[in-house]
């Protein structure tokens, strides 16, 4: 029963986490945005003390249940392992065995991750690199770049069939491949699948920094799988089916730092010699004792976490004519969404999980290809603009890189200022009246003023919020089917957001 409950909850979490990245309707973003905030690293970066305390307490009581239920990358590895056991033939069953802990790899990756996160608070590139090791962010990139096209393709087939039946309830979904991010996602997918196919949970117990952190806590969990030597007949079936390779059947020992509490050993034991029981004191079957070096490591890790917490303080539009995509504007300062407060704040907290990018309905948020901010979100207005009534990115961001804002608050947050390029503007350079930027501005910040006999756009910097509607709707640069040039009005980002 414990195994059934664990599998049911794990599949629900995996499906919910996947929907957040592939669903374009906004349903998942509205109802499941709480799930990413339960992830360990997102809670740490957002300084969510309640979630961090809850996860630590959960681990101290039940062991690494987080890795087998809440973490989508961990559950995904279990799915791969299950597929091999089911369809890989007889050699795929009973294929595991006890392996000693790979300390150098395990603690080496954790130390590297800790250094990158610490440096990421002041150096943007380091945080982007740390995101490569964060399990939730890794799964997010896989889901958004590999799973989403499959989901969108299925939706498009359903839309085609629906239209053939005279029903237009379903609409087609356009998906744009982002090559650099696709390469990273594909490489991550291959690495995770290979590790899961060959070694079960070896990725979690050798590379994943969150698994290592929780493994240090789970050594002293209150409830753990315990082997009753009086009932064990020495068949070692539990060891051969342990995907974490943490059961030493010969010596009746379990390495609890690597055990992900999957309950497989309990279900596989025909002698009922393994039970999930409370352990109130150390016994010879309790796994290995924590030596002095490990105690010092835990103390150092706690100090690092405290320092991090302290440092973190320090194609158409409505009823208008279709707008064709134009070239991206060159900006001196990147634009970041309302709620991010500043580009520096976003870069120091973002793990590039792609959740905000996947949730953006108008494709304004796109992954950066700059090496210093690689895969982190940047705002472009060549495909759409940031609607004042949309708060999806701030609703779903789990790390605090984009803090929650209401529609009323967003409408008063200034993230940039529109700038008119007089050499490109139709009204200025050609002497022809256009005024599309003025008519499309939701803040009423652009007025057409008669100067030298021509009506020209003038930006009221005090009222402009930098939403990019003017840049997106500008007809300059939309000739033909491909982007020909940049818009005649563009938004320059602010280094620090402010209220208007």
């Amino acid at each position: 029963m414990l195994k059934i409950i664990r599998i049911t909850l794990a599949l629900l979490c995996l499906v919910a986490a996947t929907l957040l990245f592939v669903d374009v309707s906004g349903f998942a973003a509205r109802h499941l945005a709480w799930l990413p905030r339960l992830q360990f690293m997102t809670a740490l970066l957002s300084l969510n003390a309640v979630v961090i305390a809850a996860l630590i307490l959960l681990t101290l009581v039940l062991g690494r249940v987080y890795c087998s239920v809440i973490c989508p990358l961990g559950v995904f590895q279990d799915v791969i392992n299950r597929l091999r056991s089911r369809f890989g033939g007889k050699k795929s069953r009973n294929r595991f065995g006890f392996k000693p802990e790979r300390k150098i790899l395990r603690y080496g990756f954790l130390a590297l991750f800790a250094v990158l996160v610490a440096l990421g608070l002041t150096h943007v590139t380091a945080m982007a690199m740390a995101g490569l090791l964060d399990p939730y962010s890794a799964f997010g990139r896989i889901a958004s770049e590999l799973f989403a096209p499959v989901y969108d393709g299925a939706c498009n087939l359903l839309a085609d069939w629906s239209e053939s039946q005279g029903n237009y309830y379903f609409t087609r979904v356009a998906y744009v491949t982002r090559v650099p991010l696709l390469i990273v996602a594909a490489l991550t997918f291959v690495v995770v699948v290979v590790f899961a196919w060959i070694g079960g949970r070896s990725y979690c117990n050798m590379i994943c920094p969150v698994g290592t952190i929780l493994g240090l806590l789970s050594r002293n969990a209150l409830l753990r799988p315990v082997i009753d030597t009086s009932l064990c007949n020495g068949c070692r079936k539990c060891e051969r089916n342990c995907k974490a390779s943490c059961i030493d059947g010969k010596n009746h020992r379990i390495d609890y730092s690597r055990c992900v509490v999957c309950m497989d050993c309990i279900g596989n034991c025909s002698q009922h010699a393994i039970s999930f029981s409370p352990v109130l004191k150390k016994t010879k079957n309790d796994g290995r004792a924590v030596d002095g070096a490990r105690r010092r490591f835990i103390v150092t890790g706690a100090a690092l976490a405290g320092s991090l917490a302290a440092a973190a303080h320090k194609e158409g539009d409505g009823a208008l004519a279709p707008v064709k995509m134009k070239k991206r504007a060159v900006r001196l300062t990147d634009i970041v969404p309302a709620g991010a407060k500043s580009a520096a704040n976003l870069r120091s907290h973002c793990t590039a999980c792609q959740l905000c990018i996947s949730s953006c309905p108008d494709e304004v948020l796109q992954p950066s290809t700059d090496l210093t901010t690689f895969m982190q979100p940047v705002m472009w207005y060549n495909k759409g603009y940031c609607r004042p009534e949309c708060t999806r990115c701030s609703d779903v961001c789990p790390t605090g890189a984009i803090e929650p804002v209401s529609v009323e608050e967003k409408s008063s947050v200034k993230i940039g200022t529109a700038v008119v390029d007089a050499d490109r503007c139709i009204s200025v350079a050609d002497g022809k009246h256009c005024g599309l930027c003025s008519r499309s501005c939701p803040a009423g910040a652009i007025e057409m003023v008669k100067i030298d006999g021509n009506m020209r756009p003038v930006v009221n910097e005090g009222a402009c919020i930098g939403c990019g509607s003017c840049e997106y709707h500008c007809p300059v640069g939309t000739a033909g089917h491909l982007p020909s040039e940049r818009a005649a009005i563009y938004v320059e980002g602010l280094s620090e957001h402010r209220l208007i």
Side-chain angles (χ1 to χ4, degrees):
M1 182 58 67
L2 289 175
K3 181 178 178 180
I4 293 175
I5 294 173
R6 196 272 304 172
I7 292 177
T8 302
L9 293 176
L11 289 177
L12 288 175
C13 287
L14 178 63
V15 171
T18 304
L19 281 176
L20 280 167
F21 292 96
V22 303
D23 177 40
V24 296
S25 67
F27 175 85
R30 288 192 299 270
H31 299 284
L32 300 174
W34 52 269
L35 183 60
R37 293 181 172 85
L38 299 182
Q39 305 301 318
F40 186 85
M41 282 310 304
T42 57
L44 182 61
L45 289 174
S46 62
L47 301 179
N48 193 330
V50 175
V51 173
I52 294 174
L55 292 178
I56 291 176
L57 180 62
L58 178 68
T59 306
L60 290 175
V61 175
L62 300 177
R64 286 174 59 182
V65 172
Y66 170 91
C67 298
S68 59
V69 175
I70 301 176
C71 176
L73 191 68
V75 180
F76 175 67
Q77 293 174 71
D78 288 345
V79 172
I80 298 300
N81 179 62
R82 178 64 177 171
L83 290 176
R84 177 172 181 182
S85 299
R86 180 88 178 189
F87 303 106
K90 293 183 179 180
K91 292 184 179 180
S92 296
R93 299 163 191 162
N94 301 312
R95 72 183 190 274
F96 298 113
F98 177 76
K99 296 178 182 177
E101 179 185 13
R102 303 291 181 87
K103 293 183 178 180
I104 295 178
L105 284 175
R106 198 176 188 189
Y107 298 111
F109 275 111
L110 176 59
L112 173 63
F113 182 74
V115 170
L116 289 174
V117 172
L119 292 175
L121 296 175
T122 54
H123 296 80
V124 175
T125 307
M127 185 58 74
M129 296 300 294
L132 294 174
L133 294 175
D134 175 40
Y136 180 75
S137 300
F139 177 81
R141 289 186 288 272
I142 292 174
S144 63
E145 298 303 311
L146 302 182
F147 298 166
V150 177
Y151 180 88
D152 293 343
C155 290
N156 290 337
L157 289 176
L158 182 60
D160 291 340
W161 174 84
S162 178
E163 289 178 10
S164 67
Q165 303 299 312
N167 185 337
Y168 295 91
Y169 180 76
F170 300 98
T171 58
R172 293 185 58 81
V173 179
Y175 183 82
V176 179
T177 301
R178 300 174 285 254
V179 177
L181 190 59
L182 178 63
I183 294 174
V184 173
L187 290 175
T188 305
F189 178 82
V190 170
V191 170
V192 172
V193 169
V194 169
F195 269 83
W197 191 267
I198 298 175
R201 280 301 190 103
S202 55
Y203 179 91
C204 294
N205 288 326
M206 286 195 297
I207 297 178
C208 179
V210 175
T212 302
I213 293 172
L214 298 180
L216 294 170
L217 298 174
S218 64
R219 292 183 187 277
N220 300 306
L222 176 62
L223 295 171
R224 303 175 236 171
V226 178
I227 302 175
D228 188 341
T229 56
S230 64
L231 296 176
C232 179
N233 62 0
C235 70
R236 300 174 71 174
K237 187 178 179 181
C238 57
E239 177 183 336
R240 295 196 301 272
N241 287 276
C242 178
K243 56 196 172 190
S245 299
C246 66
I247 300 179
D248 184 357
K250 181 179 179 180
N251 298 306
H252 304 98
R253 300 179 64 182
I254 300 176
D255 182 357
Y256 295 113
S257 73
R258 291 185 289 155
C259 175
V260 294
V261 200
C262 65
M263 310 295 180
D264 287 350
C265 56
I266 298 176
N268 288 322
C269 183
S270 58
Q271 303 298 312
H272 306 289
I274 305 179
S275 61
F276 194 58
S277 307
V279 180
L280 301 178
K281 62 180 180 179
K282 287 282 183 179
T283 68
K284 64 180 181 180
N285 296 327
D286 261 350
R288 293 166 293 174
V290 180
D291 55 23
R294 185 127 330 129
R295 291 184 187 279
R296 289 192 295 273
F297 183 85
I298 295 175
V299 172
T300 303
L304 175 60
S307 64
L308 291 178
H313 275 294
K314 300 239 167 160
E315 247 185 81
D317 181 67
L320 299 178
V323 179
K324 298 177 182 177
M325 188 172 67
K326 54 184 69 68
K327 287 186 177 181
R328 295 176 175 179
V330 178
R331 313 184 201 279
L332 298 176
T333 305
D334 286 340
I335 310 172
V336 294
K341 296 182 179 180
S342 67
N345 179 73
L346 184 143
R347 305 308 177 201
S348 64
H349 288 79
C350 177
T351 59
C353 72
Q354 309 304 301
L355 186 53
C356 60
I357 294 173
S358 299
S359 301
C360 183
D362 294 299
E363 298 186 64
V364 173
L365 288 177
Q366 294 291 323
S368 171
T369 56
D370 192 311
L371 291 179
T372 59
T373 58
F374 189 54
M375 299 185 299
Q376 293 184 333
V378 291
M379 297 182 73
W380 297 107
Y381 298 137
N382 59 327
K383 295 183 181 180
Y385 68 98
C386 189
R387 301 174 186 271
E389 72 274 10
C390 177
T391 60
R392 282 197 195 177
C393 59
S394 68
D395 293 338
V396 300
C397 178
T399 65
I402 307 175
E403 296 183 357
V405 293
S406 65
V407 174
E408 295 77 14
E409 291 172 333
K410 182 180 178 181
S411 300
S412 61
V413 175
K414 184 179 180 64
I415 63 175
T417 303
V419 179
V420 178
D421 186 342
D423 293 334
R424 295 178 179 274
C425 180
I426 294 175
S427 297
V428 179
D430 298 339
K432 300 177 181 179
H433 180 68
C434 173
L436 190 56
C437 56
S438 176
R439 295 194 299 274
S440 62
C441 178
I446 304 177
E447 296 182 9
M448 299 301 293
V449 179
K450 192 171 184 178
I451 302 177
D452 297 331
N454 293 330
M455 300 298 292
R456 301 185 179 188
V458 175
V459 179
N460 181 354
E461 297 184 3
C464 177
I465 59 175
C467 68
S469 177
C470 55
E471 180 177 333
Y472 172 62
H473 288 105
C474 178
V476 176
T478 60
H481 298 287
L482 296 176
S484 59
E485 54 184 305
R486 296 186 300 275
I489 185 170
Y490 65 95
V491 178
E492 189 63 62
L494 292 181
S495 57
E496 295 283 343
H497 294 175
R498 61 175 183 266
L499 297 178
I500 60 174

